[in-house]
């Protein structure tokens, strides 16, 4: 497992935007990102989970901290059309990724990553994975603690 | 935007497992994936959004359909330790991904993808992104409809 992980990446330039209680019906996600694309706002992570009640769910995405104000304005001006409950944003987050090409299963890599963060008392706010990565959003103030702890957990040498 | 997308990938061999209302405190995510890693269960997507109330949130992950029974058993036997509300699973899902290397922003690619699915009346259950991809989970029965519609939306030629 340890040999699979080739590096730890992090970025503390991200801001998190969460639309709480968007309607869970076709067309809603498209309506959110259309205006952001037109305004040339760079969206990085997009994370949405299943809705529990089949009616509404939350949708989180990240933008560069410099784009947060524009993003919030663009979304809030269409609050009526989009029909979400509330918009919550937080620019004090950091994205931490564990990278491993050929990661056949995320379970082992994820478990080590999550366990390492837990041992440092760092709460995981958002999780997203790709074929070669496990990424989390944590509070920005823990960036260095997290990166150092993960470096040693995966025996990647000292920073 | 269209030239950025190089392909559409899909897999209907996945089953979705959602733990509803897991406690939102350090160590919970690690406790979920440890036993799955030990049992050599391949976990593909892991998606978790922020908790609204700071107390609990939902966590979804996917495994191969063949591993669903084992996975559910492994999690349910530790229901007390993990302290989640309920476990929901569904093997009638498909993962559809739009792939584009050099996708600077997900907003444009995502908007086209989400809009195309909406026009076909296909509801998006889960969303997750990586540097080169936007992936969604939809109902398995719409796999072919989705893949064909996305091929023509990104002018990738007919299937
Ligand atoms: C919530 C949102 O993803 C909705 N289900 C849609 O398909 O657009
Ligand atoms: C929900 C889960 O991700 C929890 N926040 C943890 O850090 O483990």
């Amino acid at each position: 497992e340890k040999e699979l992980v080739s590096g730890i990446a992090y970025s503390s330039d991200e801001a998190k935007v969460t639309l709480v209680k968007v309607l869970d019906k076709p067309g809603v996600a498209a309506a959110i990102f259309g205006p952001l694309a037109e305004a040339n706002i760079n969206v990085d992570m997009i994370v949405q989970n299943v809705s529990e009640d089949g009616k509404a769910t939350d949708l989180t995405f990240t933008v560069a901290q410099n784009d947060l104000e524009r993003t919030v304005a663009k979304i809030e001006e269409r609050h009526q059309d989009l029909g979400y409950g509330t918009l919550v944003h937080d620019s004090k987050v950091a994205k931490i990724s564990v990278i491993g090409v050929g990661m056949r299963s995320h379970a082992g890599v994820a478990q080590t990553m999550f366990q390492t963060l837990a041992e440092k008392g760092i709460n995981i706010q958002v999780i997203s994975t790709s074929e070669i990565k496990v990424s989390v959003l944590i509070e920005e103030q823990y960036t260095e603690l997290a990166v150092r702890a993960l470096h040693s957990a995966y025996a990647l040498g000292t920073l």
Side-chain angles (χ1 to χ4, degrees), chain A:
Chain A
E1 190 56 57
K2 288 213 188 327
E3 65 288 355
L4 272 184
V5 171
S6 52
I8 310 291
Y10 66 95
S11 150
S12 46
D13 170 42
E14 310 225 357
K16 179 185 75 178
V17 176
T18 301
L19 298 185
V20 180
K21 296 257 175 287
V22 296
L23 293 175
D24 186 23
K25 60 183 179 42
V28 168
I32 294 167
F33 293 101
L36 300 183
E38 279 154 30
N40 273 328
I41 291 173
N42 251 3
V43 171
D44 180 21
M45 293 173 89
I46 304 173
V47 177
Q48 179 214 308
N49 211 332
V50 283
S51 68
E52 271 170 64
D53 58 6
K55 297 199 186 69
T57 186
D58 304 337
L59 193 146
T60 295
F61 62 91
T62 61
V63 293
Q65 284 176 349
N66 291 347
D67 285 336
L68 181 61
E69 235 176 274
R70 258 188 338 137
T71 301
V72 171
K74 272 257 163 254
I75 300 269
E76 301 254 84
E77 74 192 25
R78 299 169 39 247
H79 192 142
Q80 289 307 323
D81 301 348
L82 292 176
Y84 57 86
T86 51
L87 183 152
V88 177
H89 59 85
D90 177 4
S91 60
K92 299 255 179 299
V93 292
K95 178 176 150 188
I96 313 278
S97 302
V98 170
I99 300 164
V101 194
M103 201 194 274
R104 245 181 71 60
S105 166
H106 290 98
V109 171
Q111 198 263 335
T112 306
M113 178 185 201
F114 300 161
Q115 186 59 36
T116 304
L117 295 175
E119 279 159 10
K120 298 293 180 198
I122 300 173
N123 194 48
I124 298 165
Q125 297 182 11
V126 171
I127 303 172
S128 179
T129 56
S130 77
E131 272 58 23
I132 60 164
K133 266 194 214 174
V134 179
S135 300
V136 297
L137 288 183
I138 62 169
E139 267 182 75
E140 192 171 25
Q141 62 177 330
Y142 297 122
T143 306
E144 191 168 329
L145 177 64
V147 172
R148 280 183 197 286
L150 290 167
H151 261 269
S152 71
Y154 291 106
L156 294 169
T158 50
L159 268 180

